[in-house]
Amino acid sequence: MKKIIKNYKSYFILIGSILLGTIMGLIFKEKASIVSPLGDLFLNMLLVIVVPLIFLTLSTSIGKMKQPKRIGKILVTVILVFIVTSIVSVFVGLGTSKMFKLVDIKDTNSIKEVLLNDDVVEKEDVNFLQRTVDTISVNDFSKVLSRDNMIALIIFSILFGISINMSKGKGEKLLCVLESANHVVQSFIKLIMFYAPIGLGCYFASLVGTFGGEIAVGYGKTFIIYTIVAVLFYFTVYSIYAFIAGGKNGFISYWKNILPATLTSLGTCSSAASIPVNTMCAKNIGVPDDIADTTIPLGTSFHKDGSIIGSVFKIMFLVCLFNSDVSSLKILGVALLATLLVTAVPIGGGTISEMLIITMLGFPISALPILTIIATIIDPPATMLNVVGDSASSMLVSRIVDGKHWMKKRSSI
């Protein structure tokens, strides 16, 4: 219990500061905007660190990648299962978030005036091909190191990591330097997060003071709906996956062994910290060692059912907030891309995902704290789905790779 309380300490502090900011906003109304600069300070610190964070996180994680134990078939199957189950998660998130209007702001023009500021840039009327090229690339190195060219920065970071991997050992020294810099950046983020309760509290006080309790109700509604969806998803969808993978025996074995991973994910709120227990649970279910040892770590970085559903909720929250018209197909693509590029870094990965959502859908950068608050309040149930979903996926991979009798093969070893 002490460990759980310790792990949730920062979570409780953030939630407490948001609640305090809500109360102050409701009490002082427009006068609460006097603390808005303190919220802007938090936003500015996040925006300053986001470019080195993206570059170092992606380039080092790809640069360190080694080949999995089993060639070809396992890796291809893992990718296929991750994509299919992620699409299922997007549709679940899209269907449920569209059933309810997550936030109902009557004066949308007012919130646009407050949040848009100078973020709106007139877009030239160019053809699709030219727009795509302009999105994924820039004509000068200095432009890569800018949050205004987020997609180009991500692609550059991935290619840089691949180049390190292709150097066959000659890039090890550079990788060590980048890893060291990445650790420093993560420490810098921890320093920023010490200020997060003040920054988010002031930001929220100003927001609620300006727009009343409507946005606070929106956060409460988002948390309740997401939690209900997560619980239903946990019991229903993963039961289906387990049954597809191993029939009745797979269903029974899954629910007999998955509780330790569930409790660990809820207790730590970290997919990365849950890897050892989650791998053990998958093996106890009957997943072959090499598949469990491959699927769980890869899933921690690239397969997050809870985060994908959360990404859809974040997008729909902003769509309702700004009264925007975004197609379901675009939400599908952005949610998948934003989550599949998230690494095991709890804070940094979320920031990358949220910046990607904002950039690709054309929302103002000043909306970043709004998504940060949503990410904070849904973190425990989202982490639970992220972790448990990898175990269910490892069962599906085993079914495809080793056939329908994979559980018997595992038990006979």
Side-chain angles (χ1 to χ4, degrees), residues 165-407:
N165 221 317
M166 292 174 60
S167 63
K168 298 180 180 179
K170 293 183 179 179
E172 287 296 324
K173 291 183 179 179
L174 176 59
L175 182 59
C176 289
V177 172
L178 294 178
E179 276 195 274
S180 178
N182 194 29
H183 286 302
V184 173
V185 168
Q186 300 305 325
S187 298
F188 191 89
I189 291 174
K190 289 179 181 178
L191 289 176
I192 294 175
M193 295 311 291
F194 281 125
Y195 179 70
I198 298 174
L200 286 177
C202 293
Y203 185 90
F204 205 63
S206 176
L207 210 58
V208 172
T210 303
F211 305 106
E214 295 169 335
I215 195 165
V217 171
Y219 281 119
K221 188 189 295 185
T222 299
F223 171 73
I224 293 171
I225 295 172
Y226 183 91
T227 301
I228 294 173
V229 170
V231 172
L232 292 175
F233 195 96
Y234 175 80
F235 286 108
T236 305
V237 176
Y238 294 143
S239 293
I240 294 172
Y241 289 167
F243 186 80
I244 292 174
K248 181 180 178 181
N249 291 335
F251 176 87
I252 294 173
S253 183
Y254 177 78
W255 288 113
K256 184 179 178 181
N257 294 285
I258 201 60
L259 186 59
T262 302
L263 295 178
T264 302
S265 63
L266 288 172
T268 62
C269 275
S270 170
S271 298
S274 302
I275 288 177
V277 176
N278 201 23
T279 304
M280 178 194 70
C281 289
K283 292 179 180 179
N284 290 340
I285 290 169
V287 175
D289 290 356
D290 54 357
I291 292 179
D293 291 335
T294 302
T295 307
I296 302 300
L298 284 176
T300 300
S301 294
F302 302 108
H303 176 248
K304 296 172 180 278
D305 289 333
S307 295
I308 287 180
I309 297 174
S311 292
V312 176
F313 270 66
K314 292 173 186 176
I315 293 170
M316 292 305 298
F317 193 94
L318 293 181
V319 167
C320 294
L321 192 63
F322 292 100
N323 196 24
S324 304
D325 183 20
V326 181
S327 68
S328 298
L329 185 61
K330 193 168 186 178
I331 293 174
L332 169 68
V334 172
L336 283 174
L337 186 60
T339 309
L340 291 175
L341 289 175
V342 174
T343 67
V345 181
I347 299 172
T351 304
I352 296 172
S353 171
E354 289 151 12
M355 284 295 295
L356 198 62
I357 288 172
I358 289 171
T359 303
M360 294 191 71
L361 293 179
F363 292 113
I365 298 298
S366 52
L368 180 59
I370 293 176
L371 300 189
T372 302
I373 292 171
I374 295 175
T376 300
I377 62 178
I378 68 171
D379 191 33
T383 304
M384 178 188 70
L385 295 186
N386 291 343
V387 171
V388 175
D390 292 337
S391 298
S393 295
S394 69
M395 294 178 70
L396 293 172
V397 173
S398 301
R399 172 67 175 83
I400 297 172
V401 173
D402 291 333
K404 61 182 180 179
H405 300 299
W406 62 272
M407 292 190 70

Side-chain angles (χ1 to χ4, degrees), residues 1-10 12 267:
M1 183 59 68
K2 288 182 179 180
K3 289 183 178 179
I4 291 176
I5 293 174
K6 183 179 179 181
N7 288 324
Y8 273 84
K9 184 178 179 181
S10 59
F12 288 141

Side-chain angles (χ1 to χ4, degrees), residues 139-151:
N139 59 9
D140 189 270
F141 178 73
S142 62
K143 294 180 181 179
V144 173
L145 305 176
S146 169
R147 59 181 171 84
D148 295 328
N149 300 303
M150 192 65 60
I151 307 300

Side-chain angles (χ1 to χ4, degrees), residues 58-130:
L58 292 178
S59 61
T60 54
S61 62
I62 293 174
K64 292 187 296 183
M65 280 186 181
K66 307 296 180 184
Q67 286 191 344
K69 290 182 178 180
R70 221 195 278 189
I71 59 173
K73 192 174 184 180
I74 289 180
L75 188 57
V76 171
T77 305
V78 166
I79 294 172
L80 177 64
V81 168
F82 283 175
I83 292 174
V84 172
T85 53
S86 295
I87 291 174
V88 171
S89 300
V90 170
F91 280 118
V92 169
L94 195 57
T96 52
S97 62
K98 279 197 169 185
M99 289 172 61
F100 309 93
K101 193 171 184 180
L102 297 180
V103 59
D104 188 10
I105 300 292
K106 296 177 182 178
D107 189 3
T108 55
N109 291 326
S110 179
I111 197 167
K112 286 178 181 178
E113 289 176 6
V114 172
L115 292 178
L116 286 178
N117 295 326
D118 298 326
D119 289 325
V120 179
V121 179
E122 293 294 328
K123 295 182 179 180
E124 297 180 13
D125 185 19
V126 294
N127 63 57
F128 175 78
L129 184 60
Q130 184 62 50

